[in-house]
Amino acid sequence: MLFTFKKIWDFPHKKIVLKELKQIAKANPKKFVVDATTLFGFAKSFESHSIIGNKALNELGLHRFRVEQAAKLAQKRRQKLSKVLTSDEVEQFQKNGFILKENFLPEDEFLQLSKELLETPLETRETLQGDTVTRRMALDGEILKQLPATEKLLNNKKWQGLLNYVASSKVQPMYYVQVILSQVRKSRPDPQTSLHSDTFHSSVKAWLFLTDVAEDEGPFVYVPGSHVVNEKRLDWEYLQSVQMTEKSNALSRRGSLRINQNELEGLGYGQPQAFSVKKNTLVIADTYGFHARGPSVRPSTRIELWAYGRRSPFLPWVGLNVLSIPFVKQHLIPWYWKALDVLEQKYQRKNPWRKVGKLKATDEAVIKSK
């Protein structure tokens, strides 16, 4: 990494870099300090980050550099984390960008876990996007004391090892029961049905499906192999960064780049794979790879134990995660939700996740209009 920084400093366009940075700092000194300190973290927004979104710096390769360096470090960290996986699991991930395991839990353990998560009322929030409601039900430290089968799974070393390997770091995921309720109203399609990459670096999401998922009822969709950072992908990332404007897709401007089918073919990736699966199927995916929620042709409900984890991609080590400290770990979701509420109350940053009280996973959607 130090060698790379030296190369940047010796770069013939360093005068342009210094000029741009000075202009950014002069325009808003406080924001510049914050943005400078988060540049080599997981900040991703072209829209709100004054350095990441600077066109001149991206023309010189800033975004491309961040993607490439993050991928190199992720590869090195995974080498350290592969010991708890089988060779077949490693091979499946390296080829596809996901690990798929059918009948993941023994039947009796799955039945107990499923009963807990489907029948226990949990603190719940919902968001409405297009015609679809996404419901997330908190699995924090307090509620897990009431859910022994779920707590046993989340503390399982194999489970944690799979998530850490795909994440390329020892993450502390946030765990929810997630429910996807499709076609709750007549509206535009759910924006999550567009193929996209979550961010510029490896991160992990996991789905242990508690219900069967039909191919035409909102399945998870992933483009096999699209987690690999090759020259074609780097060139595509570069073009996205320099062509970003106020008219670009809003989610792309925020750093979650969208891609269409023609672009996929140009990058040499295969066809998207829809995960039509039986309950008790586990999918763990690197969401740098292109993925989406498949469309649903009818009103449908998908229920899963869902995990999400992300760490700064520029750390050379795999551990030392402050979020894994027991007290922090137990309160992670309540603190996160509270932070979103505070941002809305004090800074007018609308929180899309609305409180709907304690619900069961099988209850109807509460929020059906905005």
Side-chain angles (χ1 to χ4, degrees):
M1 183 67 78
L2 290 175
F3 176 71
T4 305
F5 286 144
K6 186 177 185 301
K7 285 172 61 180
I8 293 173
W9 184 248
D10 292 339
F11 192 58
H13 295 111
K14 68 181 180 182
K15 290 184 178 179
I16 298 175
V17 173
L18 292 173
K19 178 183 176 182
E20 292 296 323
L21 292 177
K22 286 179 180 178
Q23 289 179 344
I24 296 169
K26 185 177 180 180
N28 192 331
K30 291 183 179 180
K31 180 169 175 52
F32 173 76
V33 171
V34 173
D35 288 353
T37 58
T38 58
L39 179 61
F40 290 103
F42 45 67
K44 64 175 184 174
S45 176
F46 296 96
E47 184 174 58
S48 62
H49 197 287
S50 60
I51 301 176
I52 291 172
N54 182 278
K55 184 176 181 180
L57 295 179
N58 284 325
E59 286 176 345
L60 294 177
L62 174 62
H63 175 69
R64 191 183 196 277
F65 169 78
R66 295 179 85 227
V67 172
E68 186 174 22
Q69 292 304 310
K72 289 179 179 178
L73 284 166
Q75 185 177 12
K76 291 180 180 179
R77 291 192 302 267
R78 283 199 181 102
Q79 291 174 355
K80 301 175 183 178
L81 293 164
S82 63
K83 298 176 183 178
V84 298
L85 274 66
T86 66
S87 58
D88 288 343
E89 290 165 343
V90 172
E91 182 179 355
Q92 183 183 171
F93 175 80
Q94 290 179 344
K95 177 182 177 181
N96 297 316
F98 59 80
I99 296 173
L100 169 68
K101 301 184 80 67
E102 298 176 334
N103 299 312
F104 177 65
L105 289 175
E107 185 175 359
D108 59 335
E109 292 184 21
F110 177 75
L111 288 174
Q112 185 180 354
L113 177 137
S114 182
K115 180 178 176 63
E116 287 181 355
L117 297 182
L118 294 178
E119 298 182 7
T120 305
L122 301 171
E123 288 293 341
T124 301
R125 298 211 179 194
E126 292 182 347
T127 189
L128 178 64
Q129 293 179 292
D131 63 0
T132 299
V133 166
T134 300
R135 170 183 297 159
R136 288 187 186 158
M137 311 173 73
L139 294 174
D140 57 60
E142 288 302 313
I143 194 64
L144 283 174
K145 295 175 183 177
Q146 306 171 37
L147 306 172
T150 306
E151 186 174 38
K152 178 182 177 182
L153 171 63
L154 302 189
N155 289 329
N156 181 275
K157 296 298 182 183
K158 179 64 175 182
W159 165 273
Q160 293 175 349
L162 288 167
L163 266 67
N164 289 338
Y165 178 77
V166 173
S168 80
S169 189
K170 288 186 177 179
V171 293
Q172 174 50 54
M174 288 194 283
Y175 292 113
Y176 302 89
V177 176
Q178 178 169 268
V179 185
I180 310 299
L181 300 120
S182 299
Q183 294 194 19
V184 299
R185 65 171 183 167
K186 291 184 178 180
S187 182
R188 59 185 172 81
D190 174 6
Q192 299 305 321
T193 57
S194 298
L195 285 168
H196 61 280
S197 172
D198 278 356
T199 187
F200 70 95
H201 62 86
S202 289
S203 60
V204 65
K205 288 180 179 175
W207 298 257
L208 177 59
F209 294 99
L210 304 178
T211 55
D212 295 345
V213 182
E215 189 171 5
D216 59 357
E217 292 186 344
F220 174 61
V221 174
Y222 195 92
V223 179
S226 62
H227 67 303
V228 175
V229 178
N230 53 31
E231 286 300 315
K232 286 185 177 181
R233 179 66 175 271
L234 286 172
D235 289 344
W236 181 86
E237 295 274 0
Y238 174 81
L239 284 175
Q240 299 307 302
S241 70
V242 300
Q243 295 175 357
M244 195 69 63
T245 70
E246 293 180 356
K247 295 182 180 179
S248 300
N249 176 278
L251 294 172
S252 290
R253 295 199 309 267
R254 296 169 195 163
S256 179
L257 298 177
R258 267 50 189 168
I259 191 168
N260 60 44
Q261 188 64 40
N262 291 335
E263 290 175 302
L264 272 182
E265 294 172 359
L267 294 178
Y269 297 136
Q271 293 296 309
Q273 176 180 336
F275 288 80
S276 173
V277 297
K278 296 293 184 181
K279 58 188 175 182
N280 198 17
T281 297
L282 173 65
V283 177
I284 307 176
D286 178 356
T287 52
Y288 172 72
F290 294 116
H291 61 285
R293 186 180 299 151
S296 183
V297 300
R298 63 185 67 85
S300 62
T301 301
R302 195 184 90 194
I303 308 176
E304 60 233 9
L305 169 59
W306 187 79
Y308 162 74
R310 182 184 299 177
R311 282 191 80 186
S312 171
F314 299 109
L315 299 175
W317 56 82
V318 298
L320 300 177
N321 189 349
V322 68
L323 298 183
S324 296
I325 297 172
F327 179 76
V328 177
K329 174 181 175 180
Q330 290 179 354
H331 298 88
L332 196 56
I333 294 175
W335 286 349
Y336 171 68
W337 278 353
K338 180 64 176 176
L340 293 178
D341 293 338
V342 170
L343 287 172
E344 180 173 69
Q345 294 164 6
K346 292 191 174 182
Y347 302 101
Q348 289 75 54
R349 290 180 57 179
K350 183 173 175 58
N351 179 5
W353 293 99
R354 316 310 295 180
K355 295 179 182 179
V356 292
K358 283 192 173 183
L359 297 177
K360 291 183 180 179
T362 52
D363 288 340
E364 292 185 3
V366 175
I367 298 177
K368 297 183 179 180
S369 62
K370 291 190 175 181

